[in-house]
Amino acid sequence: MRGRRRGQGHGRPRRAATLLAALALTAAPLAVPAPAAARPAAAAETYTWRNARIAGGGFVPGIVFSRKERNLIYARTDIGGAYRWDQSSRRWIPLLDWVGWDRWGYNGVVSLAADPVDADRVYVAAGMYTNGWDPNNGAILRSSDRGETWQVTPLPFKLGGNMPGRGMGERLAVDPNDNRVLYLGAPEGNGLWRSTDRGVTWSKVSSFPNPGDYSDNPSDPNGYESHRPGVVWVTFDESTGTAGSPTRTIYVGVADKENTVYRSTDAGATWERVPGQPTGYIAHKGVLDAASHALYIATSDTAGPYSGGKGDVWKLDTRTSEWTRISPVPSDSPDAYFGYSGLTVDRQRPGTLMVATQISWWPDVIFFRSTDGGRTWTRIWDWASYPERTFRYRMDISSVPWLTFGTNPSPPEVTPKLGWMTESLEIDPFDSDRMLYGTGATIYGTEDLTRWDSGGQITIRPMVAGLEETAVLDLASPPSGPPLVSALGDLGGFRHDDLDAVPPMMFVRPSFTSTTSLDYAENNPSVMVRAGDFTDADRPGDSHVAFSTDGGANWFQGTEPDGVNKGGTVAASADGSRFVWAPGDSGQPVVYSTGFGNAWSRSLGVPANAVVESDRVNPRTFYAFSNGRFYVSTDGGASFAQTAATGLPSSAKFKAVPGREGDIWLAGDTGLFRSTDSGASFTKVSGVSDAVNVGFGKAAPGRSYHALYLVGTVGGVTGVFRSDDTGATWVRVNDDRHQYGNAGEALTGDPRVYGRVYLGTNGRGIVYGDIAG
């Protein structure tokens, strides 16, 4: 299922970022608002940046409707930042593109709160990992102009926007009676926190009794599955306060199977475990319908979002403190094989609510709807005569046709799937007919929801335009054919014939969970190769390497060596007659093939898991790099010899220049290096102190050498740079509003359009820049 592995690979950084200073127990505001003013490191050139359209592509764990203003909607993603809906264009507008390498973890949004009093104010709880993968602590980002600009308050602990339990919430909440007051539920034993100055400063609520100790897997050695989600949601009973004074009654959810709901009736001064509450499961959601005096909770047996086998839905009468189990399928039923999440109420129709399964992989997610406070329910689909089902919905994915994933399942499964990992299911508080929900790949929605109640079918469509959430692992822009071909985490990759159109389908036959590397034959660019990941035991007849002879429109697979599960890197010779492949499995040797992978032979003299590339002129020459050493093959990959080059970084990305035999550029954390003798020696480029990646594009007018593109640090500033004079001077082509966090795993220029650069991000999809005007 797409989205299942997002937290355990593609969201993880590949380079270390700058560590923020440690803080004391009380969080204080950062002195400089974000985005910070640029320090001129090199000349700057104004560029226009936009996405190569894919539409979605990742998990959307949270959708937040403003309770103050119609059509003001926000979405949060686990590695791709936050977005605001623009009703006039019906597109999502990215809000955190200013996040740079020094604070890339802020693109992990674990919670978002729209101010219910002042529509211009919005808050984000940001931080990607609570283990060592993210070197920074979490932060509260606050905006008074709907996310156009932000101020930052670093926190004294980490937040986990891409950790288990990220679909719970919302753990960040604004008091609807006194919007100076905010609460934040923290993970990893850090408890409940409060701000009384609109998020500028924060202090721990010392009277809150339970920080939550549940973990899906306490023994996980890397600290990912052992994550403790902690305090996971906060909701206010606005009927217990008056405008300008803090709300008296507050409910808080905790990841604790025996003590999952707490309450304060004195504006947070004291707290109690709510008497009579259910036990055995975790309340993923807590939604209060003040008009009907009901608190609803949806519970599951794990933190999610990938799992959940049992759970219940409960209703608390806030006047009598009586709990009632209202589960559509009770946990003790023989038909129960899922927990619950995705809980929402209709603010226009008290007593109307919906809930989603957490999680029903097969045959599909189930949405349940009640119009009588949970006494009775209807399902969005029902069983007919097995394996057939009846549906209260129809799907229209014409705007994002790849959502079928190229599958043709047999009943009871259908394509596209209704959803998975649906932890956010939200009815518009101003419009009972509009509902949005997130999945592991997109945002879906309907605008005729109440047809459900009269026996009609609702229409569900992707409502994801403008939201781009793919993790990009490699990019190629060949001299002819499509302008761009991409290698992506989770989705595999696409051929982009039109950068402004959603491609009809990702790469299939074979499908890769993630495409880790791709290449084309420089002198015969219709020939392409790609390598990627999937679990071999799941599809033993499929190969982890595939070939195309029509520029990536169609693909076929060759054979592969035994024991391959990971794609690693792959290279095509300049004429497309040979291929060298370094699979990603630890210790798996480098191999080469004459022809399209009909057989593979071991390459001699090169370490396993080296990075491999081809010379772009000589079809017999291939290059490899491993642990600071450079290797060259002059016999088509059959054997490699280590060159005498020294002083190179321990890990690096490198590329050979089209049309210039033996011309190589290498990027690593000690700088940028160039060789003009097939790697026999390298010269360090002055002025570049750190290099993430390098690429080439069409030469500037009047120049004969390719334009160079660099993600790196020049003159103390990290950004995207272009050089038109072989690296002698650089101009910065991005700016502080277009930094894209942990970007640069993939980078290439366009050989047909001077100035155009394609940048792969880790959660914001493929962005490309053109010289303005």
Side-chain angles (χ1 to χ4, degrees), residues 481-482 484-486 493-498 503-507 550-553:
L484 186 67
V485 183
S486 63
F494 294 90
R495 169 181 160 136
H496 301 260
D497 291 293
D498 181 348
M505 190 53 57
M506 70 279 288
F507 299 144
D550 57 7

Side-chain angles (χ1 to χ4, degrees), residues 473-505:
L473 305 182
D474 204 358
L475 292 170
S477 183
S480 61
L484 186 67
V485 183
S486 63
L488 305 178
D490 289 344
L491 296 186
F494 294 90
R495 169 181 160 136
H496 301 260
D497 291 293
D498 181 348
L499 301 176
D500 295 324
V502 175
M505 190 53 57

Side-chain angles (χ1 to χ4, degrees), residues 96 153 218 225 253 322 342 391 426 474 581 634-635 660 665 678:
L96 300 184
T153 296
E225 291 182 357
E322 178 183 1
F391 302 92
E426 305 295 336
D474 204 358
W581 181 22
T634 58
D635 56 7
R660 294 177 179 267
W665 293 77
S678 297

